[in-house]
Amino acid sequence: MRKLIEKLDTQKNMCCDLKLELLYQFERREISKGEVLIKEGQTPDSLYFVEDGFMASAIWEDGNRKYTRFWLPGAIVFDHKHLMKQTRATEHLYAHRDSLVFVLSIDAIRDNLIKFPEFHYKMRDLADIQSAEIEEHKNILRGRFPEKKYEMFLAYYGDSAREIPIEQIASFLCISESVLYQVRKSRIH
């Protein structure tokens, strides 16, 4: 939980009252492998902070799961448009393995926006962080060659990429598993 408060507190200091309020409002939730937090078409009702574990976002396409995002420890799972404007999610969010998340409900967010005017700036900071991360993911997928896409994927996820199965990386990069195996093999030699 401290990691989340520090993340929110990086650009502008939060008042102690707001920090305490958030500490009380975030609900600790253990999520079992495979458990779905948000279903495609459902209206999200919470912001999630991944304390430990591995979450993934995916859509079903032609009967297969297409991975769109991986959420590792330290990630804030937040989509300003869907959460704050209460629109339907376009993908599933689920636990790829047993995970520990902290949850802040939309009602708590709204209460904080009224009680603490500076919380508005924190939510805007989160939206900016989310926008930058979405843009980074788009950059990864814009690579023309599988080698470049994989290189950018590794640069973004770092050591955490080892936790992601190869078939899911291939799905995310929109390349076949056999091509990804060749790309990985050529990096070793």
Side-chain angles (χ1 to χ4, degrees), residues 156-167:
Y156 183 82
Y157 284 104
D159 291 338
S160 300
R162 285 188 235 140
E163 288 196 50
I164 303 170
I166 192 165
E167 65 273 5

Side-chain angles (χ1 to χ4, degrees), residues 42-141:
Q42 188 179 49
T43 303
D45 61 357
S46 300
L47 172 150
Y48 302 94
F49 176 74
V50 182
E51 179 72 23
D52 185 43
F54 177 12
M55 307 293 291
S57 296
I59 57 174
W60 285 100
E61 198 172 83
D62 300 328
N64 295 314
R65 189 177 282 171
K66 167 83 171 94
Y67 291 88
T68 58
R69 190 89 184 265
F70 302 102
W71 309 88
L72 302 165
I76 298 172
V77 183
F78 170 74
D79 186 322
H80 190 268
K81 179 180 75 174
H82 296 304
L83 181 62
M84 299 307 290
K85 295 183 180 178
Q86 291 292 272
T87 60
R88 296 176 191 263
T90 55
E91 55 196 18
H92 297 288
L93 173 67
Y94 73 97
H96 194 276
R97 65 175 166 89
D98 290 350
S99 301
L100 172 64
V101 298
F102 286 96
V103 181
L104 184 64
S105 73
I106 184 69
D107 294 333
I109 291 170
R110 287 181 178 142
D111 288 346
N112 286 330
L113 288 169
I114 294 167
K115 285 171 40 179
F116 302 98
E118 74 267 21
F119 190 61
H120 174 75
Y121 299 109
K122 296 301 167 193
M123 292 305 291
R124 190 180 317 150
D125 290 346
L126 287 178
D128 290 346
I129 290 168
Q130 185 79 12
S131 294
E133 290 177 356
I134 289 169
E135 193 58 34
E136 188 65 32
H137 279 82
K138 287 180 183 176
N139 287 339
I140 292 170
L141 297 176

